[in-house]
């Protein structure tokens, strides 16, 4: 019986009107249901077979009532689908992201300018996924929750800029906020989150925030959420712009690239993700391409589908009512002519 269900079971209450009508008929000695030739169906006649119209009428009404209750049969089918993931992007917006150690077509780019088109391409290449965006510097904030509106998310990514929050590099907080955005979604029976992962991109080491990277890593590991880490920037020193009072670049100074690669590797290793070092635009694109290939695949699932049975009951009900009318009409005509 678990294979059958009623979508509108309240219609079954209408079926109680049928026995009520029968009871009223026998109590008042008059037809209780106003239908064509109803008196002929219930009038005593010479042969017992004349009760067939009444039985067909009752059967027809019961079948119609059951049909209105929308009976359905649950069928199990195997289907191959493209799995949809929940992906949180945690992007570093600390001041060091303005360092211009990237180059494209002979034009020098800062780290944020280099990653923006790659992030947008990654988002657009995941049409079946929900993607969210977290940014961090001295603190971490959610820019966009998980969403299928990738066009809106791409516009938000384009508007990202350094200086919108307290400076610093709170890697642990950035990862913690991303994990928080995923925790409300469905987990399996072990409490681990399925079909979700985080991409964390930074160019520095943790020096701000309340949550340490190791603590955030332990949370991600417990929940079964892989974290893919990307270290952006070349080793050594990088040119950093100096801005005048009007906000224009007046010169450059050299800053030391301070990436905690060991911490990023540990985050990826303990959570089941992967670490990437991106020191030019090509390697950044390759890192996101590798993540895209590692976490997007087809899988087979068993899907329950409901097959409506109500047309059969409605047709059977109308046939029973029609037959009851035809059977009742013939003896009524013969008796009237006699």
């Amino acid at each position: 019986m678990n294979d059958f269900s009623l979508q509108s079971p309240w219609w079954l209450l209408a079926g109680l009107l049928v026995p009520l009508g029968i009871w009223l008929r026998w109590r008042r000695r008059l037809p209780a249901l106003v239908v064509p030739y109803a008196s002929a169906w219930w009038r005593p006649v010479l042969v017992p077979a004349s009760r067939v119209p009444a039985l067909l009428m009752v059967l027809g009404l019961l079948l119609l009532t059951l049909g209105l209750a929308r009976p359905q049969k649950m069928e199990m089918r195997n289907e191959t689908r493209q799995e949809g993931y929940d992906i949180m992007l945690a992007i570093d917006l600390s001041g060091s992201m303005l360092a211009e150690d990237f180059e494209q077509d002979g034009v020098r780019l800062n780290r944020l300018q280099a990653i923006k088109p790659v992030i947008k391409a990654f988002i657009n290449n995941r049409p079946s996924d929900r993607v969210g965006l977290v940014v961090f510097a001295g603190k971490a904030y959610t820019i966009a929750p998980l969403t299928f509106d990738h066009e809106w998310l791409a516009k938000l990514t384009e508007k990202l800029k350094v200086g919108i929050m307290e400076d610093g590099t709170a890697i642990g907080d950035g990862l913690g906020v991303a994990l928080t955005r995923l925790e409300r979604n469905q987990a399996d029976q072990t409490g681990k989150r399925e079909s979700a992962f985080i991409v964390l991109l930074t160019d520095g080491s943790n020096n701000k925030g309340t949550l340490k990277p190791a603590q955030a890593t332990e949370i991600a590991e417990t929940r079964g959420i892989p974290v893919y880490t990307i270290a952006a920037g070349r080793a050594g020193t990088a040119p950093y712009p100096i801005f005048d009072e009007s906000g224009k670049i007046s010169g450059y100074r050299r800053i030391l690239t301070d990436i905690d690669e060991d911490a990023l590797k540990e985050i990826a290793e303990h959570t089941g993700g992967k670490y990437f070092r991106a020191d030019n635009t090509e390697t950044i694109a390759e890192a996101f391409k590798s993540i895209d290939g590692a976490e997007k695949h087809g899988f087979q699932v068993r899907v329950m589908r409901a097959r409506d049975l109500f047309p059969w009951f409605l047709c059977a009900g109308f046939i029973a009512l029609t037959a009851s009318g035809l059977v009742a009409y013939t003896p009524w005509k013969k008796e009237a002519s006699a």
Side-chain angles (χ1 to χ4, degrees):
M1 293 299 294
N2 293 333
D3 293 339
F4 293 90
S5 64
L6 297 175
Q7 188 173 355
S8 305
W10 290 107
W11 275 104
L12 294 179
L13 296 177
L16 298 177
L17 297 176
V18 177
L20 178 61
I22 296 173
W23 179 76
L24 290 174
R25 157 66 184 91
W26 288 110
R27 182 175 180 178
R28 299 181 182 180
R29 300 296 179 180
L30 294 172
L33 303 178
V34 182
V35 293
Y37 312 113
S39 59
W41 297 344
W42 294 94
R43 182 179 303 163
V45 292
L46 297 178
V47 291
S50 61
R51 294 186 180 274
V52 172
L55 295 176
L56 287 174
M57 180 191 67
V58 172
L59 177 61
L61 291 175
L62 291 176
L63 287 172
L64 288 178
T65 302
L66 186 57
L68 291 173
R70 296 291 299 271
Q72 295 178 332
K73 181 180 180 181
M74 306 304 294
E75 297 179 341
M76 188 75 73
R77 296 181 182 179
N78 290 328
E79 291 188 357
T80 300
R81 291 182 175 180
Q82 182 69 41
E83 184 168 2
Y85 282 86
D86 284 344
I87 307 169
M88 289 302 302
L89 303 176
I91 307 301
D92 188 348
L93 290 185
S94 60
S96 57
M97 290 293 288
L98 293 176
E100 298 181 1
D101 52 356
F102 287 84
E103 185 176 319
Q104 186 174 26
D105 299 329
V107 179
R108 197 161 61 185
L109 303 174
N110 64 43
R111 295 166 181 173
L112 183 57
Q113 290 173 330
I115 68 172
K116 278 184 179 180
V118 180
I119 293 175
K120 290 192 291 184
F122 176 82
I123 294 172
N124 292 332
N125 199 35
R126 313 284 305 207
S128 61
D129 300 328
R130 295 194 304 173
V131 185
L133 180 61
V134 169
V135 296
F136 63 92
K139 296 181 179 180
Y141 299 94
T142 300
I143 297 297
L146 292 168
T147 179
F148 283 112
D149 192 347
H150 294 175
E151 183 178 354
W152 172 71
L153 191 59
K155 291 179 180 179
L156 290 180
T157 302
E158 184 60 36
K159 294 179 181 179
L160 293 180
K161 61 180 181 180
V162 174
I164 61 176
M165 66 187 80
E166 175 187 347
D167 199 15
T169 307
I171 296 176
D173 284 4
L175 181 54
V177 172
L179 288 167
T180 300
R181 283 294 173 178
L182 293 174
E183 72 175 343
R184 295 181 180 179
N185 295 276
Q186 186 179 2
D188 63 14
Q189 295 179 353
T190 65
K192 293 187 176 182
R193 181 68 173 84
E194 293 182 314
S195 302
F197 65 92
I198 296 172
V199 179
L200 186 147
L201 184 144
T202 183
D203 69 340
S205 57
N206 190 82
N207 54 30
K208 285 286 183 73
T210 57
L211 192 64
K212 295 181 180 180
Q215 294 173 318
T217 301
E218 185 177 354
I219 296 172
E221 184 179 6
T222 302
R223 296 179 182 173
I225 300 177
V227 181
Y228 292 81
T229 57
I230 302 176
R234 295 182 179 179
T237 61
Y240 188 85
I242 300 174
F243 299 93
D244 58 22
E245 295 180 355
S246 63
K248 295 182 180 180
I249 298 177
S250 60
Y252 288 87
R253 62 185 176 90
R254 306 294 296 189
I255 64 169
L256 181 65
T257 299
D258 182 27
I259 301 176
D260 190 349
E261 289 193 82
D262 291 337
L264 297 179
K265 289 178 181 178
E266 287 182 7
I267 293 173
E269 179 181 352
H270 287 287
T271 61
K274 192 175 181 180
Y275 167 76
F276 300 91
R277 180 61 191 267
D279 55 4
N280 56 59
T281 53
E282 288 77 15
T283 54
I284 285 183
E286 289 174 3
F288 273 94
K289 184 177 180 180
S290 178
I291 295 171
D292 186 62
E295 289 291 352
K296 185 166 65 175
H297 61 273
F299 73 113
Q300 190 176 73
V301 293
R302 299 186 72 188
V303 181
M304 291 290 292
R305 291 189 179 275
R307 181 164 63 90
D308 281 318
L309 302 176
F310 74 91
W312 297 97
F313 288 92
L314 293 180
C315 290
F318 282 119
I319 291 174
L321 287 177
T322 303
S324 66
L326 293 175
V327 174
Y329 176 72
T330 302
W332 176 81
K333 287 189 65 178
K334 289 182 178 179
E335 185 176 348
S337 60

